[in-house]
Amino acid sequence: MAVIQRIEELKSGALSAVAAAGSTAALEDVRVRFLGRSAEITEIKKSIGSLSPEDRKEVGRAANLASREIEEALRARTNELAAGEREARLRTEAVDVTLPGVPFPKGHLHPSMRVIDDVVDFFVGLGYRVAEGPEVETDYYNFTALNIPPEHPARSEHDTFFLDEGLVLRTHTSPVQIRTMLAQEPPVYVVCPGRTYRRDSDPTHTPMFHQIEGLAVDRGLTLGHLKGTLAAMARHVFGEELKVRLRPGYFQFTEPSVEMDLSCFVCGGNDPNCTLCKGAGWLEMLGAGMVDPAVLEEVGYDPEEYTGFAFGMGPDRMAMVKYGIPDLRLFFEGDLRFLRQF
Ligand code: DAH
């Protein structure tokens, strides 16, 4: 019968296509071509219904046998090829665990950040909280609330960057004192590190620099507490042997105000030709004082009940001194040849 003949032809065509296929993807094509929905054998099976009962049986059996044989051949060949493909993939994906790794460039902290971290760690160890405030500050928080009213000459010392009406780039971190006191009741113990801005540029001034503000308000705080706290901080950052001294100073928001000096840690005050202190024996370090009662009143604290001390220091300057760097501008140029030395 012609149909049986045709089925045999299709079968041997399919078997040689299976044998010739070189990949599992090619085998899938063979499957679709010979056993798929529009393959000829499939068509033959669909048309069986229209044959005579005897033919139906014979053609049906031949078609089923042929399909089964092709499927069997496909399965066998698929297994064979898949094993080879897996092996090839494993071979190309193999990782040589003895190869040296890719070295990552190692980063490190900027000298200013090392001093900031050191100072902040010291105060956190004493139980102080870290507080932050905005760098774009209102005139009120930066000046007025700190007892520097509009038109006061103290304002002109700040070389302020003015922004829109009533806004400035903060010239110090002292406004964070005000924000902190307005947000909570005493006792207050905070340190406030951050960026500050002034119109100034020379070897020891940059338009952006850092400050760390500190504020303690409680019952019974005295200048003695201020001195003890700052002396311990200075020894933590610069070395145990150091001495500190307080000199009279002037700030609008503290009364009395002091400036703190550090005994020179290069010469110990014994070398008139010392390159660091120039023979003075002392290094200027920070400004501080007892919080002015006018400032406490401004934030609604009762100055009869509470006293406080505050201080403000420049960690960039401290890093210059600590690491012997002559020009502050080097800190902010981002030159890796400079930064990699720390
Ligand atoms: N804000 C001052 C400045 O930038 C530094 C300062 C002095 C802060 C005395 C204080 C302080 O909290 O009590 O020059």
Side-chain angles (χ1 to χ4, degrees):
M1 212 195 317
V3 195
I4 306 277
Q5 183 72 37
R6 183 61 189 148
I7 290 172
E8 281 305 311
E9 273 171 29
L10 288 169
K11 186 180 82 179
S12 56
L15 293 180
S16 44
V18 168
S23 68
T24 51
L27 280 177
E28 192 46 37
D29 288 344
V30 174
R31 179 195 306 284
V32 171
R33 183 143 61 90
F34 289 96
L35 298 177
R37 252 194 290 157
S38 47
E40 204 174 329
I41 293 186
T42 314
E43 294 297 335
I44 292 171
K45 285 180 181 172
K46 280 192 218 154
S47 66
I48 281 174
S50 60
L51 299 178
S52 69
E54 307 88 75
D55 288 354
R56 208 180 286 170
K57 205 162 145 200
E58 207 176 329
V59 172
R61 217 187 53 191
N64 282 339
L65 278 175
S67 308
R68 215 167 305 146
E69 214 171 310
I70 296 168
E71 259 162 31
E72 191 47 49
L74 279 167
R75 194 170 316 125
R77 185 79 182 130
T78 302
N79 286 343
E80 223 170 271
L81 288 175
E85 283 171 13
R86 195 174 330 114
E87 222 160 88
R89 199 173 61 239
L90 288 177
R91 219 175 303 118
T92 58
E93 286 176 4
V95 173
D96 181 352
V97 293
T98 66
L99 285 175
V102 182
F104 280 97
K106 211 199 275 172
H108 43 80
L109 292 176
H110 188 280
S112 294
M113 291 306 139
R114 291 170 67 145
V115 171
I116 291 173
D117 283 356
D118 235 17
V119 171
V120 169
D121 281 352
F122 171 80
F123 283 103
V124 167
L126 287 188
Y128 283 56
R129 201 165 55 76
V130 177
E132 286 179 312
E135 290 169 31
V136 173
E137 189 50 283
T138 65
D139 182 283
Y140 174 76
Y141 287 118
N142 196 80
F143 294 119
T144 309
L146 288 160
N147 202 29
I148 314 175
E151 318 303 335
H152 194 284
R155 288 197 175 203
S156 62
E157 281 164 29
H158 280 237
D159 294 316
T160 311
F161 284 110
F162 292 97
L163 303 174
D164 287 345
E165 191 60 29
L167 290 178
V168 298
L169 286 180
R170 67 177 176 192
T171 58
H172 51 179
T173 42
S174 303
V176 186
Q177 285 188 26
I178 303 298
R179 291 177 172 276
T180 302
M181 288 190 282
L182 286 175
Q184 70 166 91
E185 291 300 318
V188 175
Y189 290 89
V190 287
V191 267
C192 326
R195 280 190 280 265
T196 46
Y197 302 84
R198 292 189 194 187
R199 275 188 307 110
D200 224 348
S201 185
D202 65 36
T204 54
H205 295 89
T206 48
M208 190 286 295
F209 58 105
H210 296 90
Q211 279 197 348
I212 304 173
E213 190 77 13
L215 173 70
V217 182
D218 208 337
R219 290 190 177 89
L221 289 182
T222 67
L223 199 61
H225 294 117
L226 168 64
K227 185 173 182 180
T229 303
L230 292 179
M233 184 276 295
R235 291 190 192 109
H236 174 80
V237 176
F238 291 100
E240 286 302 323
E241 313 298 280
L242 294 176
K243 290 196 284 270
V244 299
R245 75 173 181 190
L246 300 185
R247 275 183 296 112
Y250 184 80
F251 301 102
Q252 278 287 119
F253 35 92
T254 44
E255 179 57 36
S257 300
V258 296
E259 299 206 17
M260 193 174 90
D261 296 340
L262 200 64
S263 59
C264 178
F265 56 82
V266 169
C267 71
N270 302 320
D271 180 1
N273 300 316
C274 175
T275 48
L276 185 58
C277 69
K278 310 273 185 291
W282 296 95
L283 303 165
E284 277 186 37
M285 212 187 130
L286 51 78
M290 301 306 291
V291 180
D292 195 303
V295 174
L296 295 176
E297 258 165 28
E298 182 71 24
V299 298
Y301 286 9
D302 180 359
E304 297 295 325
E305 187 177 357
Y306 293 103
T307 54
F309 61 78
F311 50 88
M313 66 190 100
D316 312 313
R317 297 279 194 90
M318 290 161 75
M320 285 177 81
V321 169
K322 182 166 178 173
Y323 301 112
I325 301 158
D327 193 326
L328 186 58
R329 292 171 294 195
L330 286 166
F331 278 43
F332 306 115
E333 283 167 356
D335 187 332
L336 290 174
R337 290 169 304 178
F338 169 75
L339 293 173
R340 285 205 175 112
Q341 296 174 54
F342 301 95

